Amino acid sequence: MTNIGDMKSASVSEGLRVAKAGVSSPQILLGVLFEALFFGCLLLLMSKSDISFLWPLTGLSFVFATFAAIWFLGEQVSPARWAGVVLIMAGAALISYSEHANPKTEQIPPVAPTATSAR
């Protein structure tokens, strides 16, 4: 948004100017591409694993965003935010550990009714 500029007024023409600049910005389009890839991968993973395991791990995006803010934007991260990043990583580690500690139960597929049992 620093490249596009602030909205100088709350008007339709100013909103259209910002939207046009955003749609034509390679950085914003790249961000949209990465979000689409994330959601595609998330859908794929949700079809193959437990949501109770997978969804909390999406919190790791805060960790990646913190490092990206440092590397790409040159932001300074306060000790309180680093503590939050550490807590998120610890939570993700606990969730991962609990998934590996659970005994794997084999699910038996349902038996289809036969022609004689349907009568």
Side-chain angles (χ1 to χ4, degrees), residues 6-118:
D6 292 334
M7 288 186 66
K8 294 166 185 49
S9 65
S11 65
V12 174
S13 62
E14 187 67 11
L16 290 174
R17 180 195 67 80
V18 171
K20 181 181 174 188
V23 170
S24 62
S25 169
Q27 293 165 327
I28 291 178
L29 293 175
L30 186 63
V32 170
L33 172 70
F34 283 131
E35 280 291 324
L37 286 173
F38 166 76
F39 284 119
C41 291
L42 184 62
L43 288 173
L44 178 70
L45 290 171
M46 283 172 40
S47 71
K48 298 186 180 298
S49 66
D50 294 334
I51 300 297
S52 62
F53 166 70
L54 181 66
W55 198 255
L57 291 181
T58 61
L60 290 175
S61 65
F62 294 108
V63 176
F64 296 129
T66 302
F67 284 111
I70 292 168
W71 291 326
F72 298 116
L73 302 176
E75 290 185 10
Q76 297 293 320
V77 179
S78 69
R81 289 187 184 175
W82 278 120
V85 168
V86 169
L87 288 174
I88 290 170
M89 291 172 59
L94 285 172
I95 290 167
S96 178
Y97 172 76
S98 70
E99 178 68 16
H100 293 296
N102 283 342
K104 301 294 182 208
T105 58
E106 187 174 323
Q107 293 184 351
I108 301 170
V111 178
T114 61
T116 57
S117 64

